[in-house]
Amino acid sequence: MLIRHGGDLTENDVTPRDVYLRRRDFMSGLIGGGLAMAGGVAANAQAATGLKGVASPYSTTETPTGRADITGYNNFYEFGLDKEDPARNAGSLTTSPWTVKIDGHCNKPGTYDIGDFLRGNPLQQRIYRLRCVEGWSMVIPWLGVPLADLLKKYEPTSKARFVAFETLHRPSEMPGQRRPVLDWPYREGLRLDEAMNPLTIMAVGLYGESLPNQNGAPMRLVVPWKYGFKSIKSVVRISFVEAQPRTAWNDSAPREYGFYSNVNPAVDHPRWSQATERRIGEFRRRETLMFNGYGEQVAGMYRGLDLKKNF
Ligand code: MTE
C-alpha cells in the first residue's frame, strides 16, 4: 500500500450475471429452513462449502467481481507485498482451532472459541463494494454477521467509545511478519457507533464458501464505506477501549492514512488523487462516490466533523 501501488492486473472473467443470480437464488431461497448458522461455519472453518445466507436489503445490485479476482488479487501483507502473494502463500495458515480474545470495557471479557463467538447468529449475504485506497475497487458477495449482534453479547460498558481489532501474530505461518514491513500485528479500530452500524459485518465467507485464507480466514471485518485497509483480516482480538486506538497504517504513515479513512473523493491521498477508481474487470475508470456510495446509511455519524482534517 505504502510500498506499492498501481501494480497492474490481469483482466480475469467477471461471473456472468445469470450464473451469479442462480447462485444467489439458491442461497436466499433457504431463508428460514435449514439456515447455516455461523457457529457451524466455524466448526468446519477450512472445509465448508455451499454456505447459505439470508439476502440483505443492504446489498448492492451491482454485478459482483469474478471469484478468481476476489481470491487472486489481494492485500494481506502478512503473506507478502505483491497482489498474487496472499493466494500463493496463505495456505500455510492454520485457521482451526481459532479463538478470539474479547477484553477492555465490557461485562463479559474472555477468550472464546470462534464457534462460541459466532454461535446463534444466522449468516447474511451482503454484496458490498470494496474501494481500496490504492484506487481499485471490487464488488464482493460476502457471507457474514452484523458486528453489532456479536459485540452486544459481550455487553460493552459506557466507557467503551472505540473498538480495537488485531490480526493473528504468527510469523511461523505468516512469512510477511518476519520482516518489519508494519509494526505487527496488524491493528485496526472503529468508533463504537461505526462498529455498531448495521452495515459493518464480520465476514466468514464469500461466494457461498468459507473465506479463503488469502481473504482473511476464518473471519475478517468488512466496513464498506471506508478504504479497504480498515477491513482487518484474520481477527483474534477485539478490545472495547476508551481512547482512539492505534492502527497499523496510521502508525506507519500518519500523513497518508488517517484513523477515519472514509472513502472520500474530495480528499486526495498526499501522493495521488482519490477522485476515481478502476473496478477490477473493467478498463474505464469510475468516479469514486462519497462514503463509497453508502452515504445514506453513514453520513449522519459524521455530521459536524471536518472530514478533511479527520481523513
Ligand atoms: N488485514 C491484514 N491483517 N493485513 C493486511 O495487509 N490489507 C488491507 C485489508 N485487511 C490487510 C488487511 C487492505 S489494504 C485491503 S484493500 C483489504 O484487506 C483487501 O481485502 P481483500 O484482499 O479480501 O480484497
Side-chain angles (χ1 to χ4, degrees):
M1 212 161 74
L2 174 66
I3 298 152
R4 276 163 200 254
H5 47 92
D8 244 319
L9 331 162
T10 49
E11 296 299 331
N12 287 338
D13 293 341
V14 168
T15 306
R17 182 133 185 93
D18 60 338
V19 172
Y20 164 68
L21 284 175
R22 264 183 273 128
R23 187 191 280 264
R24 189 165 67 165
D25 287 346
F26 164 73
M27 289 198 284
S28 60
L30 289 140
I31 299 172
L35 242 194
M37 289 302 184
V41 175
N44 201 3
Q46 284 173 312
T49 55
L51 301 181
K52 307 162 203 87
V54 183
S56 165
Y58 291 113
S59 290
T60 171
T61 54
E62 288 172 283
T63 306
T65 303
R67 189 183 181 285
D69 281 325
I70 294 174
T71 62
Y73 186 87
N74 300 100
N75 275 331
F76 200 168
Y77 274 20
E78 286 84 339
F79 295 103
L81 305 186
D82 287 336
K83 298 290 181 255
E84 298 75 22
D85 285 343
R88 211 182 283 140
N89 301 330
S92 56
L93 180 66
T94 311
T95 57
S96 178
W98 193 271
T99 56
V100 193
K101 182 175 181 185
I102 310 281
D103 59 5
H105 299 295
C106 65
N107 293 327
K108 296 189 169 162
T111 299
Y112 297 88
D113 175 75
I114 185 175
D116 295 329
F117 177 69
L118 296 168
R119 197 170 315 285
N121 294 281
L123 290 184
Q124 298 183 17
Q125 188 194 178
R126 297 283 184 98
I127 307 168
Y128 282 159
R129 290 178 289 275
L130 177 140
R131 169 46 161 99
C132 182
V133 75
E134 295 162 331
W136 50 267
S137 63
M138 295 191 188
V139 176
I140 302 180
W142 301 109
L143 287 168
V145 174
L147 183 65
D149 294 349
L150 299 171
L151 297 186
K152 278 176 197 157
K153 296 197 285 195
Y154 302 95
E155 300 178 7
T157 66
S158 59
K159 275 195 164 169
R161 293 182 50 235
F162 294 87
V163 186
F165 302 86
E166 276 181 26
T167 292
L168 178 71
H169 187 235
R170 191 184 287 159
S172 61
E173 291 185 358
M174 296 175 134
Q177 289 179 338
R178 293 175 214 153
R179 290 187 290 157
V181 177
L182 290 170
D183 184 8
W184 309 109
Y186 195 100
R187 295 182 178 84
E188 259 309 333
L190 296 172
R191 266 183 3 202
L192 187 65
D193 60 334
E194 297 176 322
M196 294 293 193
N197 185 281
L199 281 181
T200 307
I201 60 168
M202 194 61 91
V204 296
L206 58 82
Y207 263 123
E209 297 176 359
S210 34
L211 280 182
N213 286 1
Q214 61 268 33
N215 293 89
M219 60 172 198
R220 57 89 60 85
L221 190 67
V222 179
V223 194
W225 71 95
K226 292 180 181 279
Y227 290 117
F229 66 87
K230 298 295 283 184
S231 292
I232 181 173
K233 297 179 170 183
S234 305
V235 172
V236 291
R237 183 175 176 194
I238 300 177
S239 310
F240 295 100
V241 296
E242 205 169 350
Q244 183 175 301
R246 28 186 312 222
T247 69
W249 284 105
N250 185 243
D251 276 357
S252 162
R255 280 189 57 256
E256 304 196 12
Y257 308 109
F259 176 78
Y260 280 93
S261 292
N262 291 319
V263 174
N264 190 340
V267 176
D268 289 344
H269 182 278
R271 292 186 280 132
W272 60 84
S273 162
Q274 294 291 28
T276 64
E277 67 200 55
R278 198 171 77 88
R279 180 69 50 86
I280 301 295
E282 292 179 356
F283 290 100
R284 73 188 171 93
R285 292 191 76 83
R286 299 169 171 248
E287 298 206 341
T288 287
L289 302 175
M290 187 65 201
F291 297 118
N292 204 20
Y294 297 97
E296 211 176 295
Q297 293 96 326
V298 303
M301 290 193 290
Y302 306 106
R303 217 156 272 141
L305 192 70
D306 181 341
L307 295 177
K308 287 210 156 91
K309 277 194 193 134
N310 298 280
F311 59 94

